[in-house]
Amino acid sequence: MFFTVRETAEILRVDTATIYRAIREDAFPSVKVRTRYVVPVAALEELIDEAAEHGGCVDVAAMATRRRQERDVARALGGGLR
């Protein structure tokens, strides 16, 4: 299941440009479907859970680094995480 970028921005109460910028910087999980980006519900739930667990402050840069590392490891092992 996925949210549109607009739905994601509404849930997080930020501007859609903020979400698009984070996606371009690979700091926010998304899937590109043709010309549109969608955000997996599971990814947004993870972000919300982490915010609740750490008192409302989420280190998106750390999450992005972790995602990049996981993707690099998967590629090195022959997988194709994106």
Side-chain angles (χ1 to χ4, degrees), residues 5-79:
V5 170
R6 175 174 283 183
E7 291 169 332
T8 301
E10 288 174 3
I11 290 167
L12 297 176
R13 296 182 182 187
V14 298
D15 193 89
T16 55
T18 301
I19 302 297
Y20 280 116
R21 186 177 322 109
I23 289 170
R24 281 193 309 273
E25 294 171 356
D26 199 25
F28 202 86
S30 66
V31 176
K32 190 169 186 178
V33 180
R34 293 188 174 218
T35 60
R36 296 180 57 201
Y37 287 101
V38 291
V39 177
V41 170
L44 194 55
E45 288 173 348
E46 177 188 347
L47 181 73
I48 291 167
D49 290 344
E50 192 165 321
E53 185 178 317
H54 293 96
C57 187
V58 176
D59 186 351
V60 177
M63 290 177 71
T65 299
R66 186 175 63 242
R67 286 186 62 245
R68 285 186 202 107
Q69 290 170 341
E70 290 170 355
R71 185 179 56 232
D72 292 345
V73 167
R75 284 182 182 155
L77 297 174

